[in-house]
Amino acid sequence: MPPPRYHLDRRVLLLALLLPSLSPTYAPVPPGPAAAALLQALGLPDAPRDAPTSRPVPPVMWRLFRRRDHQEARAGPRRTPPGANLRPCHVEGLGVPGNIVRHVPDRGAAARPPEPSSAAGQCPEWTVVFDLSAVEPAERPSQARLELRFAAAEATAGGWELSVAPAGASPGPVLLRQAVPTLGTPVRAELLGAAWARNASTPRSLRLTLALRPRAPAYCARLSEASLLLVTLDPRLCHPLTRPRREAEPAVGGSSGGACRARRLYVSFREVGWHRWVIAPRGFLANYCQGKCALPAAMSEPGGAPALNHAVLRALMHAAAPGAAGLPCCVPARLSPISVLFFDNSDNVVLRHYEDMVVDECGCR
């Protein structure tokens, strides 16, 4: 059964854009319609308009990227066991389904005045605002983790209690209460199922009122940073892997007269001008298929993709009567995903996973 048309069209579009005017080893992508089509192939409506404001990439996003990205894992130290295959559409570092992870900063921080130290019983409340307008309707949330960092406060024997409620003119119902034993580490709270229903679509904006009360007389803590780690699953970009990824290295260049096989093709984000908002990787090995499918090349090499019986029959017919049937074509037989870490137009740090972006094996079809 052929792969879904959505994935086929994306692969063909990407390779068709890159192949005609390139050397076989390096692929700068010209600006204009080609870059716009590549953005569409990556599932992005447009590139960020301006360079993002300078802010560090959260360590959790680096960890998730390095664990998920296949080419990063192969280039650096072993982060996964040899031969291990990552589960498709699953964020291993968080243990939830998903192929898009967003680190969303608090937009309400700029409006908060400095907080003086105050006695217990008079602790302030904070309003946090998260812009979620970039989430598409087709995405299904699987985790919404609120992460809070507080300035140093006096330790208290009873700890603290965190409460989260909807922000508004009148006090709303408390969505969750959570005991906080210490403020020495980030305080995390799961909002999915509390701030909005698990089976509901993601809201365009999330405004919450936070309160942290000491359970024993002590000075109040001060909120220094708030963020939301949102994991979603886009089913349009998700399909199961059929067999483990091979570690074979594609050939560098080569003439079209050789046997059908994968050839090396590197796509550079700097050449497209996207290096200002694409954090990692700097590029990726897209590769492409090239070579003859006449006998005996139509037969698969040991360890390669199995040749279809139809391709072998066409090659036999062409050898016997060249005008009776054309040769089969050299096409991708095995593809693997990439992960891209980037800033979006809302200055969120986004980790997005794309299936079928790297040609690992080619075959005659």
Side-chain angles (χ1 to χ4, degrees), residues 19-357:
L19 282 177
S21 59
L22 304 177
S23 70
T25 60
Y26 190 73
V29 183
L38 181 55
L39 276 173
Q40 183 181 6
L42 292 176
L44 303 175
D46 51 24
R49 292 178 295 272
D50 301 307
T53 57
S54 177
R55 72 180 185 95
V57 178
V60 64
M61 300 300 287
W62 277 120
R63 289 196 300 269
L64 294 175
F65 168 75
R66 287 168 177 154
R67 182 164 184 173
R68 187 69 201 184
D69 185 72
H70 292 75
Q71 294 183 2
E72 171 79 10
R74 286 196 298 170
R78 286 281 183 186
R79 296 183 177 90
T80 55
N85 197 38
L86 297 175
R87 295 169 59 186
C89 300
H90 191 87
V91 184
E92 282 80 8
L94 301 174
V96 296
N99 47 21
I100 305 174
V101 184
R102 293 178 175 89
H103 188 274
V104 186
D106 170 30
R107 301 297 179 185
R112 285 196 295 270
E115 302 170 15
S117 298
S118 56
Q122 300 175 347
C123 295
E125 294 182 342
W126 308 282
T127 298
V128 295
V129 181
F130 301 110
D131 180 10
L132 305 179
S133 59
V135 180
E136 299 182 15
E139 297 179 37
R140 300 197 298 263
S142 58
Q143 186 175 84
R145 191 175 77 185
L146 178 67
E147 183 166 305
L148 308 171
R149 295 178 183 271
F150 293 93
E154 290 185 355
T156 175
W160 288 264
E161 182 184 72
L162 172 69
S163 63
V164 181
S170 58
V174 175
L175 300 175
L176 67 86
R177 295 184 188 275
Q178 179 174 308
V180 180
T182 178
L183 302 181
T185 57
V187 177
R188 298 183 176 95
E190 178 56 47
L191 298 181
L192 193 60
W196 73 89
R198 291 185 176 273
N199 58 353
S201 58
T202 305
R204 302 282 292 175
S205 178
L206 187 62
R207 297 174 59 89
L208 301 171
T209 298
L210 311 179
L212 187 71
R213 312 293 189 198
R215 292 186 171 182
Y219 282 96
C220 299
R222 291 182 292 111
L223 180 65
S224 59
E225 183 182 347
S227 60
L228 181 70
L229 190 69
L230 180 65
V231 183
T232 61
L233 175 65
D234 189 340
R236 299 170 300 177
L237 306 178
C238 181
H239 62 88
L241 299 176
T242 56
R243 54 198 177 104
R245 175 192 176 99
R246 294 180 69 235
E247 297 296 330
E249 188 71 19
V252 178
S255 66
S256 58
C260 173
R261 63 178 302 181
R263 314 285 175 168
R264 183 183 175 91
L265 175 69
Y266 182 78
V267 178
S268 170
F269 288 133
R270 175 172 287 275
E271 293 297 323
V272 194
W274 295 354
H275 59 286
R276 293 183 299 272
W277 56 273
V278 173
I279 303 166
R282 296 178 180 177
F284 70 99
L285 284 171
N287 303 330
Y288 66 101
C289 295
Q290 188 181 62
K292 290 184 177 180
C293 282
L295 291 175
M299 306 297 292
S300 62
E301 298 179 359
L308 294 180
N309 291 336
H310 181 266
V312 176
L313 289 174
R314 284 182 61 183
L316 286 170
M317 290 183 63
H318 185 270
L327 285 171
C329 299
C330 182
V331 296
R334 171 68 176 172
L335 298 106
S336 59
I338 64 169
S339 294
V340 181
L341 190 66
F342 62 93
F343 289 100
D344 66 9
N345 271 326
S346 299
D347 209 12
N348 302 321
V349 177
V350 182
L351 174 63
R352 191 155 183 166
H353 191 65
Y354 303 98
E355 300 287 346
D356 296 345
M357 295 299 289

